[in-house]
Amino acid sequence: MNDLLTSKPDKPMIAPSILAADFAHLADDALASLDAGADLLHVDIMDGHFVPNLSMGPALCGSLHKALPKAYLDVHLMVSDPAAYFKPFADAGADLLSFHIEVCDSEQHARDLCGVVEDLGVKTGIVINPPTDVERVLPLVDAFDLVLVMSVNPGFGGQAFIPEVLEKGRRIKPMLKDHQRLEIDGGIGPATAPQAIDAGFDVLVAGSAIYGKPRDQWSEIVRILRG
């Protein structure tokens, strides 16, 4: 199991969101972004129910893992029933599986789901949406390897950054141990990355900021995002 995220990074890690890549050339785009200096790949899974969009499934994740076996796959489950997806994505090569606090009806439910992921030998993440009170996730921080704060409402790429969510990062960061990461996803680009870093985030998900630009600019964009 890839342990990329368990060591505290000297500088923020950059996770290109493959949802913004060219699906006709997905492996090439993913590899090029890693060659440009990115650290891991963020894989957004949408079920058309929890969010009003559909993205990809375990087969695509498995194909990506086969093409890039050394790439760290950070799989973000934007789904209503995450337990149904844990094993298929673990079998497909996911290194980390994160699910939303909004689909959990209690703290114990979230902890139980976390345990299922751990039993599959995969790292765990908990996600919180912009409208959700940070108090929902604070009691659970100790249980997870990663906490993901959404800085847009999930479901579609290319949305505008919601700066109010930075306060959630400031609340969560002091509670984390060195092996735990704090990730932000949504509207991250050269203008917003410094704000996220200042708030304590050490994994930055970027989609259109990287894949929406010509490939010969990706190395410089990753460098700028990292700060």
Side-chain angles (χ1 to χ4, degrees):
M1 176 55 58
N2 197 327
D3 62 356
L4 174 69
L5 293 185
T6 59
S7 298
K8 189 174 182 179
D10 294 329
K11 286 201 164 187
M13 295 182 178
I14 307 302
S17 173
I18 65 167
L19 188 65
D22 179 354
F23 274 31
H25 304 94
L26 181 56
D28 289 342
D29 269 9
L31 178 59
S33 63
L34 294 171
D35 286 346
D39 302 282
L40 62 152
L41 299 173
H42 189 78
V43 183
D44 284 313
I45 306 303
M46 307 178 192
D47 63 357
H49 185 261
F50 181 70
V51 292
N53 199 4
L54 288 166
S55 59
M56 59 197 87
L60 189 146
C61 183
S63 295
L64 192 60
H65 177 65
K66 183 177 180 180
L68 305 173
K70 295 183 179 179
Y72 193 102
L73 300 181
D74 165 24
V75 176
H76 173 195
L77 297 174
M78 289 177 268
V79 301
S80 296
D81 182 14
Y85 293 78
F86 290 160
K87 190 173 189 307
F89 276 98
D91 290 346
D95 293 285
L96 182 143
L97 288 169
S98 58
F99 58 88
H100 278 256
I101 187 62
E102 292 84 7
V103 304
C104 300
D105 53 26
S106 67
E107 179 182 335
Q108 189 57 51
H109 184 201
R111 289 183 180 275
D112 289 347
L113 290 175
C114 180
V116 174
V117 177
E118 289 176 333
D119 288 346
L120 292 168
V122 177
K123 296 296 183 182
T124 61
I126 189 73
V127 192
I128 183 168
N129 281 340
T132 304
D133 193 319
V134 71
E135 297 292 340
R136 284 284 308 277
V137 80
L138 293 181
L140 291 161
V141 166
D142 66 290
F144 290 84
D145 298 298
L146 176 144
V147 180
L148 168 54
V149 175
M150 294 300 297
S151 42
V152 299
N153 290 302
F156 297 91
Q159 296 183 62
F161 181 77
I162 301 172
E164 289 78 11
V165 305
L166 295 174
E167 185 56 32
K168 291 178 181 175
R170 296 187 185 100
R171 292 284 304 279
I172 296 166
K173 186 65 174 182
M175 302 176 66
L176 299 178
K177 295 181 169 60
D178 283 351
H179 71 277
Q180 295 175 297
R181 303 276 68 79
L182 183 59
E183 183 174 48
I184 190 166
D185 179 8
I188 295 296
T192 54
Q195 300 173 53
I197 295 168
D198 286 346
F201 292 93
D202 53 18
V203 183
L204 310 183
V205 177
S208 56
I210 294 174
Y211 293 125
K213 304 295 183 184
R215 277 196 192 182
D216 61 4
Q217 297 179 18
W218 291 1
S219 292
E220 178 65 7
I221 291 167
V222 169
R223 184 191 69 76
I224 291 170
L225 293 175
R226 204 186 304 279

